[in-house]
Amino acid sequence: YNAQTYDPSFQTTARIDEGRTVDYGVDANELGIRRVVKGLLLMNYAMREYNDATGFTTTAEARDAFDQGFQDLEQGLEDIRVLVGQTGVRQQTLQQVRAEHETTLALLEQQTAEVRDADAFEATTEFQRLQIQLQASYQVTASLQQLTLSNFI
């Protein structure tokens, strides 16, 4: 680990669909996690200075450290709540895309089954019927292209 090259905004990007990506990644060096650890360390330091007889810390420095630690702990927990919210939005996006993929897969499986299970005689008959319709539409189009005002009257 090299702290000088760490980029806290670095996240991994995953392509989840055509033209859709999602960024993800949380590590122990996130600001919120660092604040929680710092707060706990400061509070631990202050508690070592705690006097069991009076119930107070013995030095102003220890009291200040405890107060600062508590503030860092609260802010760190708030930062972590934000991370949890962002992760929840990403999870919701992934679930939505997964549902879309499952719907598409079911449709493709149904269409594949229809093609696979088609009766060869019915398919041939349908193909010939469509071919005749296409030829008829071409003939009508060709006739309309040769139509002029004098031919129409």
Side-chain angles (χ1 to χ4, degrees):
Y1 174 75
N2 184 350
Q4 295 174 349
T5 61
Y6 176 74
D7 180 6
S9 65
F10 176 76
Q11 292 186 331
T12 302
T13 300
R15 182 173 173 228
I16 59 172
D17 199 3
E18 188 69 33
R20 292 177 75 179
T21 60
V22 66
D23 295 331
Y24 65 94
V26 175
D27 63 19
N29 207 17
E30 293 287 339
L31 181 60
I33 296 171
R34 289 184 311 188
R35 282 181 174 163
V36 166
V37 171
K38 179 184 172 190
L40 291 173
L41 288 172
L42 286 170
M43 292 171 74
N44 181 43
Y45 163 76
M47 294 306 291
R48 288 183 183 178
E49 298 293 320
Y50 182 78
N51 185 331
D52 287 332
T54 64
F56 295 105
T57 56
T58 56
T59 66
E61 179 182 313
R63 283 190 296 275
D64 291 343
F66 187 86
D67 291 342
Q68 182 61 49
F70 189 76
Q71 289 175 3
D72 286 341
L73 183 62
E74 282 185 324
Q75 184 60 50
L77 291 174
E78 182 59 33
D79 293 343
I80 290 173
R81 284 187 202 98
V82 170
L83 288 173
V84 169
Q86 291 170 346
T87 302
V89 168
R90 291 178 184 117
Q91 182 180 9
Q92 185 178 17
T93 300
L94 289 172
Q95 288 172 343
Q96 177 186 1
V97 170
R98 181 178 183 166
E100 292 170 7
H101 287 173
E102 288 172 352
T103 301
T104 301
L105 180 62
L107 178 63
L108 292 173
E109 287 175 347
Q110 177 186 357
Q111 290 175 343
T112 302
E114 288 174 2
V115 169
R116 188 180 317 125
D117 298 339
D119 180 24
F121 178 74
E122 287 180 21
T124 302
T125 304
E126 178 68 13
F127 177 74
Q128 289 174 346
R129 184 183 67 79
L130 292 173
Q131 191 174 22
I132 290 169
Q133 283 181 348
L134 183 61
Q135 288 174 351
S137 68
Y138 285 158
Q139 288 174 351
V140 168
T141 302
S143 297
L144 290 174
Q145 286 178 342
Q146 295 177 3
L147 187 62
T148 62
L149 183 59
S150 61
N151 289 343
F152 181 71
I153 296 176

